[in-house]
Amino acid sequence: MQWIGGIVRKLRYKFRRAAFALAMSFTTAFILSGALSYLHAPPGAFIMKNWFNAFITAWPLVFISIMVIAPLVDKFINLIVEDH
């Protein structure tokens, strides 16, 4: 591993897919759980606890989905998009 600016270490390339899935699943679950919690809450009753509970439920599911589905989607995209 390599230090960058003395502060952050880069992950090895073999962890790239998992790091991508972790970051993408966190972002997706955070945004969607917040939006859906807000939309389904009674007017004026949006509660952060509901958002947090929805997020904690969604994040692992989205992470697993990305780890399983992303490689399949990537192969499909390679079939329909020409090489550069």
Side-chain angles (χ1 to χ4, degrees), residues 4-71:
I4 303 171
I7 298 172
V8 180
R9 285 195 295 188
K10 278 191 166 186
L11 293 172
R12 292 185 180 156
Y13 186 81
K14 68 180 182 179
F15 298 114
R16 187 182 193 293
R17 186 170 143 217
F20 172 80
L22 191 67
M24 189 68 184
S25 64
F26 177 89
T27 306
T28 303
F30 184 78
I31 292 169
L32 289 177
S33 63
L36 292 173
S37 295
Y38 177 78
L39 289 174
H40 290 282
F46 177 70
I47 300 171
M48 294 297 290
K49 182 179 177 186
N50 292 343
W51 183 359
F52 180 76
N53 289 336
F55 170 73
I56 292 301
T57 301
W59 191 12
L61 297 172
V62 177
F63 176 77
I64 292 167
S65 297
I66 290 173
M67 289 294 288
V68 171
I69 295 170

